[in-house]
Amino acid sequence: MIHQIENEINSLKNQLIYHPLYKMMEQKEDLQVFMEHHVFAVWDFMSLVKKLQLDLTSTSLPWVPSSYPSAGRLINEIVWGEETDVNKDGLSMSHFEMYLQAMNQVGASTIGMNQFIESLDTSKSIINQIQATKLPTFVKEFLKFTFNVIGTNKTHVIAAVFTFGREDLIPDMFIEVVKNINKESEGNLSHLIYYLERHIEVDSGEHGPMALKMIEKLCGQDQNKWNEALEASKTALNHRIALWDGIANLILKPTAK
């Protein structure tokens, strides 16, 4: 079933791998537009991971052993790396905060992201809060999908979106683009390059196989769960493509930024 999912989502992954957005970022201004919108995907990823941590590890008292030790190890490793890593200067911070740091260095505005976080109210519906923002529709839809998936409380669906739909597709492709921009521009993109290289480094070879085993464990012999995992993965990739399309359109039409 893992191979079936991989085969069925292959065309969608290829649309992301060969998306024209990467070649469009020729100037620093293009990179700024990208980061100002991609940052929301960097942010909501942590809620997806933290939900898996809640489901797959023991986070209540009194403590009891997890029913999914291998999956729990994977998620704990990812949370450790994403939430409490060290930045370029050796200071402890999350990857999200590193991204904000890189945005500041690049000259991208963090106002929209910071205002969004400050406005969040845990007593209210996150979906309604997202809808009430002035964010572009393609960003809103991306965020709403993530939190709707979390809201299903179906761990196998959340894990599938994490494994197949939220794979970090951009570092290996995007790092060369950033390096080329860095050579040509007067600004320093060292924080962004560090962020991307750190992502590649912490995403060790163990994580991929462990994530696939997590899906196998959660879906088991239940064909309905496998079907739900496949559909959620496809939808997640389609939302990522829509995010890339939206950003690409903003770069093509500067007046619409």
Side-chain angles (χ1 to χ4, degrees):
M1 291 303 301
I2 289 291
H3 293 306
Q4 181 179 337
I5 291 178
E6 291 177 329
N7 287 336
E8 293 207 31
I9 66 174
N10 189 58
S11 62
L12 292 173
K13 288 183 67 175
N14 281 335
Q15 288 184 55
L16 287 167
I17 292 171
Y18 300 107
H19 198 283
L21 174 62
Y22 309 115
K23 293 183 178 180
M24 293 169 61
M25 288 181 280
E26 298 179 346
Q27 306 296 326
K28 184 178 285 190
E29 292 76 15
D30 303 329
L31 182 59
Q32 291 168 350
V33 172
F34 174 84
M35 296 186 76
E36 287 167 9
H37 296 85
H38 175 244
V39 66
F40 289 91
V42 177
W43 171 76
D44 81 335
F45 175 75
M46 278 308 301
S47 290
L48 196 66
V49 174
K50 294 296 280 189
K51 173 59 175 172
L52 285 174
Q53 187 181 40
L54 290 172
D55 288 354
L56 298 173
T57 67
S58 182
T59 56
S60 59
L61 298 175
W63 179 88
V64 293
S66 168
S67 301
Y68 305 97
S70 60
R73 176 183 174 184
L74 167 66
I75 296 304
N76 279 334
E77 283 187 2
I78 291 173
V79 169
W80 173 80
E82 291 283 345
E83 195 171 39
T84 57
D85 204 357
V86 290
N87 73 350
K88 179 175 172 288
D89 302 315
L91 301 175
S92 297
M93 66 174 58
S94 66
H95 283 189
F96 169 71
E97 291 168 304
M98 287 187 204
Y99 199 86
L100 293 180
Q101 191 176 49
M103 289 177 69
N104 287 325
Q105 188 179 47
V106 169
S109 174
T110 60
I111 294 175
M113 184 73 251
N114 289 332
Q115 288 180 339
F116 175 72
I117 291 179
E118 291 172 2
S119 70
L120 291 177
D121 185 340
T122 55
S123 68
K124 297 179 181 179
S125 163
I126 181 62
I127 301 298
N128 291 341
Q129 291 181 80
I130 292 168
Q131 187 58 39
T133 68
K134 295 181 180 180
L135 293 170
T137 299
F138 62 88
V139 175
K140 289 183 181 181
E141 292 305 311
F142 188 91
L143 294 174
K144 287 193 292 184
F145 169 73
T146 297
F147 286 97
N148 279 326
V149 166
I150 291 171
T152 66
N153 287 316
K154 294 182 177 182
T155 309
H156 62 285
V157 170
I158 299 167
V161 170
F162 163 77
T163 302
F164 298 111
R166 294 299 294 264
E167 282 183 306
D168 202 353
L169 294 168
I170 63 169
D172 288 316
M173 299 172 286
F174 192 51
I175 191 78
E176 293 304 321
V177 176
V178 174
K179 285 181 177 178
N180 289 334
I181 293 175
N182 197 38
K183 290 175 184 177
E184 300 297 328
S185 67
E186 295 179 2
N188 190 337
L189 306 186
S190 60
H191 283 298
L192 179 57
I193 292 173
Y194 177 86
Y195 166 87
L196 293 168
E197 290 179 337
R198 187 66 176 153
H199 250 277
I200 295 170
E201 180 182 351
V202 298
D203 186 20
S204 65
E206 290 184 358
H207 287 180
M210 286 172 69
L212 295 178
K213 288 181 180 178
M214 172 175 65
I215 299 295
E216 291 178 334
K217 179 74 172 178
L218 293 172
C219 291
Q221 300 301 313
D222 190 326
Q223 186 59 49
N224 184 56
K225 286 185 175 181
W226 281 109
N227 291 340
E228 288 181 334
L230 173 60
E231 289 308 308
S233 300
K234 286 181 177 179
T235 305
L237 289 169
N238 276 316
H239 276 287
R240 173 73 78 165
I241 292 169
L243 181 66
W244 268 203
D245 289 345
I247 296 173
N249 287 335
L250 289 182
I251 291 175
L252 286 173
K253 302 175 182 177
T255 56
K257 292 178 186 177

